[in-house]
Structures are given as structure tokens and as C-alpha cells.
Amino acid sequence: MRAKQPLLLLLCLMASAAIVAGAFHLGSRRAQADVMEQGSRQLQLMAPDLQSLLERFETLPFVLGQQHEVADALAHADDPAVVARMNASLQAIQRQARVGALYLMDRKGLTIAASNWDQPLGFVGKNFSYRPYFSEALAGRAGRFYGIGTNTGEAGYFIAQPVHRNGSAGGPVDGVIVVKTTLDEFENTWASSEDPIVLADRSGVIFRTNRPAWRYHSLHPLSAATRAELARTQQYMGQTITPLAEPTGPYVTRAVGRLGWQLMLFPGTGRALRAGLQWAAGAALLLACAGVSGWALHQRRRRLQERTESRAALQRAARDLEQRIHERTEELSATNRHLAQKYAKLQEAERLLRNTRDEFVQAGKLAMLGQMAAGMTHELNQPLAAIRAFADNARTFLARGMPEQADGNLGHISDASARMGAIIAQLKGFARKDEAIASVDLARSVQASAFLLESEFKRRNTVLEIDTGATPLHVTGNAVRIEQVLINLLRNALDAVDGAPEKRVWVAMAQEDGAAVVRIRDSGPGISAQVAAHLFEPFFTTKPSGQGLGLGLAISSSIVQAMNGRLGAHNPEGGGAQFELRLPLQAVPDHNEHDSEEHTP
């Protein structure tokens, strides 16, 4: 029985697949028939409109051909005054009738007058004897033709009528008068259709369609005779007619016009496909419901059988369970004793871990104290160097009997000492987060920082150029901390140009995107890619041992970030390195508060 179940299941699946496929086929065929019928009704509405458009101006060239002034223009084609009157008359009629063009040709096909005589691409002087409508009109019949204008490059529908001598019908034909209309307005109504609509000539060449990629392609390969005829009449001048590359699918068609045209509509297969899928989904749903119902009945019978078997199994399991409970109780008792021993060991390990953690915390505190002490040594070296330089200058001034200059240097020494106190206060501020925030004139901070390093620049024969700009730049922050950053950047630039052929440092200020920007550039060798990756890390330095702790840029970066700013560095064009300090610009600075808080020598 069980061996037959897979075969039975396979047969059921195959039958279900066949039913679903049949439903899909039936549904798609019925939907496709409805779509084709709908397309046929649509063409029944469109074809009369196109026919009406083609016949709208059928009588216009005939009526004009009966006018005596047209025959006079042909008889006196060498008279400029007659031709001018004919041009004006054709132009007035063309504008009133709203056609593309009106023009008059002699028996040789030469255009002697046209409504577009005053346009750059006018027809006057052009010969159209190769057009089929000319030869038909010359034979005394109405000529009709559709093609691309060889002069303007614009496609149109041409209607030609013969012009008889003295305006009498049946007499000798002296010329041909032609009206050119366009089908653009009719084609524009197709744009809203989702289905492809085409207008093809008797050769199967598509010349009007709502699918631009189909235009001037053929529905089937053209014969050699057809290609020769198209080339002779220049019907589609400049276009290479090739068969459509994409499949067109089923279509409905309707004859229209007197030139053997076919108005065709290609209903999309998407609707038929969706209908087929819906039918198939419905059939699959019904089969699924039937299968689920059968499966439920089968499962109910199995449950009844299993319930009987389970009762016997429960009785056996109850006996086995009692035996296993006894065994498990013994095992759990032994496990509890083992866990108690492990818990005691874990408590001992936890105490050891807690002591180790406390030691690491203490080591971290000591490391931080060492970092702050190293940073203080690095930052105090700058004002100490200034004090030493001012003291040497004061002694020189006293020796030369220049007490006023010596007094000025002593004042600078006092200011530098105050600056050392301010720096120490700053370093304390890192711990207690107590900072004096005010409006800071960035130009004055730059000048103050440069003043403290003036003697150092002179001692190293380095040129310092400062451009503070024409517009004052005010930022919100701490003046001493900003000067601390600027002094550190200037000293780094000074160290960078020590071995350079040209020792020069530039400082420039600017306002960009609501921020004040200070750029400090040097003429040194620049920053290598390896150094740039670690430039603002603590204790990273490229200076020899004993000349730097690698904390200056790290501290400067933290100061700038605390003021919502950004400190960056790169190698500009022209060589050297450039550091860029960017701080948010203060819209309306408070000058009184700025003067009270800012400290400059």
C-alpha cells in the first residue's frame, strides 16, 4: 500500500498540472479574443477620422486649378509681377485653409509659385517631376502621394490636380497645382494608447506610429522592385527601411485612404496573459481546496488510529518514567555537589578579577596624570622661551641706556608669566570642565600668538606672513585656548621648515560657509601618508627623542572639538603642509564682553 502512495501522488500532481494548464490556455484565448474585438472596435472609430482628414482638402487643388489666374501664372511664368501675385494668393489661401503648403508647377515639374516663397526652404525653383503625384496630375488625373519632403525634410500627404489651359476642363494640361497636408495632429491622438498603432503603406512600410522605434521600418522584408521604386520616388528620403527587429504579435487592421494604406493596432498580450494566470490561479485554488479537504479526511482517520496506539504507549512510558525519575534524582544530587564546588571557585575568581580591575583603574589614572604633566611641560616651554628672549633683550637695553625699551620688555615678561598661569589654569580646566566662554576676535588671537613666537622666528631666520583679511571674524570660545592651539600650530610649522631651502610660514584667515577658517601653511617637506594617519593621536611624534611628547596636536584637536570646531591637515599644491582650523562663526559679536575676556600681550 505504501509503495503505491508515491505513484498515486505523482498521478494527482500531473492531473492537477494539466487542469491548471488547460485553465490558463482557455482563459488566455478568451481574453485574447476580447482584446482583438476591442481593438477592432477602436479601429472602426479611428479609421473614419483618418479618412475624413485625408479627404478634407481633396477639392482644394481642384478648385484652384480652375482659376484663371493660375493658368495666367503658368502662361506668364517669366513675368515677376504675375508670379509675385500668385505667390501672395497661394500664401493667403494656405494660411486661411491651414494646410502645410500650396505650390504650382509647370509641365516640367519646376515650381514657379508657392505659399512658402518667402521662407529659407521655400519650393520656388525646385523641380518635383520625379514624384508620382506630378506624373498622375500631368496625365489629367488627381495625384496622391505620401512621403518626406526632399526640400524641407518634413513628411506630408500630397494631393495634386492638373491645371488646364485657360481654366477649361479637358483642355491641354499646362501645369500641376499641389496641396501638402500633415498627419501630425492625427498621430498625436495615438500617444495615450498603450498598444502600438501604426499606419503602413501598401508595401508594408510604417510611416506613422505611436512607437518612434517602429517608424520607417517594414512589417516584412521588401522586394528589390519595391526598394527600387522607393529610391526612384524618394518617398522616404534619407531613411533606410529595414524589417522590424522585435516581434509584433497578433494585430487587427483596416484599410484606409486611396493609396492602399493599412491602419493597424497591435493589442498587448499582457491582458490575455493576466487573464490566463487568473484562470490558472482559480483552478489551482480549487484543486488546493479539494486536496486540503482530502488530506484533512485522511489525517482524521490516522489520528483515530494513532490515539489508540498512543494509549498503550502512554502506559509503557509511565512505567519507564518512574524508573528514569529515580535514576535522574541520583544524578542530580551528584551534580548539585559538583556545582557547589565550582561555585566556590567562581567566587574566588571573581574576587581576584575585582582586585585586578581596581589595579587597572589606578594604572589608568597614573597614565593620565603622566600625560597631563607631559602636556603641561610642552605648553609651558613656549612662554618660558618668550620670557628668556624678553629678559635677554631687557638686559641689552639696560646696558645701552634704553630704560623705556627695557621697561617694555619687562612688561612683556609679566604678560608671558600671566600667560603661563593661564595655561596652567587651562590644563586644570580639562579636569573640572570649567571654561570661560566669550566672543573672541580671531585676528587678535592670531596676532597675539605670532607675537609670542616673534623672537623664535627671527632666531631661526624664518619669515612669517599674516593675512587677517578685511572682515573681522568673531567666534564663541575661550581666547587662551584658541591662542594655545595657534601657538602650537605655528611652532610645528616653524619646526617643519628647519631644513628647508626657503624658510617661510603663511597664516591666512577667511570666512567660509558660516565658519571662520585659519590656514597655517609652511614651506617644509609636507606630511607623509604614514604620518597623516596618526597625526592627531596622543604620544605620536616625528621629532627626535627629547624634543616632543606627541601631545600638542592631540590636545589642540580636543580643544577645537570642544568648541564645535574642526582641525585638519593636508599637503596643498605647491609643496609644504597646511593645517586648517575651522570654528563656527559668531553672527553678532558682543565687543564689550570680548574686550573683557580676551587676553593679548
Side-chain angles (χ1 to χ4, degrees), residues 94-315:
Q94 177 264 329
R95 292 177 178 175
Q96 186 66 26
R98 296 182 180 179
V99 295
L102 282 169
Y103 53 101
L104 178 64
M105 296 182 292
D106 61 13
R107 287 186 57 82
K108 296 181 179 180
L110 181 66
T111 304
I112 63 174
S115 60
N116 56 7
W117 62 273
D118 56 348
Q119 297 180 11
L121 298 178
F123 294 166
V124 176
K126 302 298 188 299
N127 193 300
F128 300 111
S129 60
Y130 54 86
R131 290 295 200 185
Y133 63 79
F134 174 78
S135 57
E136 291 180 8
L138 200 62
R141 301 185 301 273
R144 297 172 185 85
F145 181 73
Y146 181 90
I148 299 176
T150 57
N151 192 47
T152 62
E154 298 177 357
Y157 180 60
F158 300 85
I159 305 174
Q161 287 286 353
V163 179
H164 299 278
R165 186 172 302 171
N166 299 324
S168 59
V173 177
D174 285 343
V176 175
I177 188 163
V178 184
V179 59
K180 177 183 178 181
T181 62
T182 177
L183 302 182
D184 293 343
E185 181 180 354
F186 184 75
E187 184 185 48
N188 291 337
T189 62
W190 302 348
S192 60
S193 176
E194 297 180 357
D195 299 326
I197 302 175
V198 303
L199 186 59
D201 63 14
R202 66 180 63 188
S203 301
V205 177
I206 300 171
F207 59 90
R208 286 290 178 177
T209 177
N210 61 347
R211 294 294 186 269
W214 290 19
R215 185 175 285 114
Y216 301 124
H217 287 75
S218 60
L219 298 171
H220 50 75
L222 301 180
S223 64
T226 301
R227 291 184 178 277
E229 178 65 15
L230 293 177
R232 185 186 65 81
T233 61
Q234 300 186 36
Q235 183 173 0
Y236 304 113
M237 184 190 67
Q239 301 294 333
T240 302
I241 309 300
T242 57
L244 281 176
E246 56 184 294
T248 56
Y251 61 88
V252 290
T253 182
R254 191 175 182 87
V256 67
R258 304 184 183 185
L259 297 177
W261 293 354
Q262 292 293 323
L263 182 61
M264 310 172 73
L265 186 142
F266 296 81
T269 59
R271 282 173 286 181
L273 179 62
R274 287 192 296 270
L277 291 175
Q278 291 173 355
W279 279 58
L285 182 60
L286 291 175
L287 290 173
C289 292
V292 169
S293 300
W295 180 257
L297 292 175
H298 175 68
Q299 290 297 105
R300 185 174 182 277
R301 288 194 296 270
R302 289 191 58 185
R303 295 290 86 78
L304 292 175
Q305 182 181 358
E306 291 173 355
R307 187 179 302 172
T308 303
E309 296 176 352
S310 63
R311 288 175 183 172
L314 283 174
Q315 295 176 356

Side-chain angles (χ1 to χ4, degrees), residues 385-398 409-410 413:
I387 291 173
R388 187 182 301 111
F390 287 137
D392 293 342
N393 290 340
R395 293 178 61 186
T396 303
F397 288 143
L398 289 175
N409 276 20
L410 290 175
I413 291 174

Side-chain angles (χ1 to χ4, degrees), residues 425-430 434-435 478-486 555 559 563:
Q426 293 176 47
L427 295 175
K428 291 180 180 179
F430 282 118
D434 184 16
E435 301 179 357
N478 183 276
V480 176
R481 286 187 176 273
I482 292 176
E483 293 175 17
Q484 177 184 354
V485 173
L486 293 172
I555 293 175
I559 291 173
M563 289 186 282

Side-chain angles (χ1 to χ4, degrees), residues 241-389:
I241 309 300
T242 57
L244 281 176
E246 56 184 294
T248 56
Y251 61 88
V252 290
T253 182
R254 191 175 182 87
V256 67
R258 304 184 183 185
L259 297 177
W261 293 354
Q262 292 293 323
L263 182 61
M264 310 172 73
L265 186 142
F266 296 81
T269 59
R271 282 173 286 181
L273 179 62
R274 287 192 296 270
L277 291 175
Q278 291 173 355
W279 279 58
L285 182 60
L286 291 175
L287 290 173
C289 292
V292 169
S293 300
W295 180 257
L297 292 175
H298 175 68
Q299 290 297 105
R300 185 174 182 277
R301 288 194 296 270
R302 289 191 58 185
R303 295 290 86 78
L304 292 175
Q305 182 181 358
E306 291 173 355
R307 187 179 302 172
T308 303
E309 296 176 352
S310 63
R311 288 175 183 172
L314 283 174
Q315 295 176 356
R316 292 192 300 270
R319 293 191 296 269
D320 294 341
L321 181 60
E322 292 178 359
Q323 179 64 27
R324 290 183 180 180
I325 288 175
H326 178 72
E327 296 174 356
R328 293 296 183 186
T329 302
E330 294 295 331
E331 293 177 359
L332 287 175
S333 299
T335 303
N336 285 337
R337 291 191 295 272
H338 183 65
L339 286 176
Q341 297 174 359
K342 285 190 175 182
Y343 179 70
K345 293 182 180 179
L346 286 175
Q347 287 183 323
E348 181 65 24
E350 183 180 1
R351 286 193 296 271
L352 178 61
L353 179 62
R354 189 181 299 109
N355 294 335
T356 304
R357 182 189 61 189
D358 294 340
E359 291 176 2
F360 279 148
V361 170
Q362 184 64 21
K365 291 181 179 179
L366 293 176
M368 180 59 69
L369 289 175
Q371 180 179 356
M372 295 297 292
M376 186 181 297
T377 303
H378 181 76
E379 299 300 333
L380 290 179
N381 279 338
Q382 298 171 355
L384 282 175
I387 291 173
R388 187 182 301 111

Side-chain angles (χ1 to χ4, degrees), residues 23-33 272-273 275-277 279:
F24 174 80
H25 181 68
L26 180 60
S28 60
R29 284 190 60 186
R30 292 190 60 179
Q32 185 65 33
L273 179 62
L277 291 175
W279 279 58

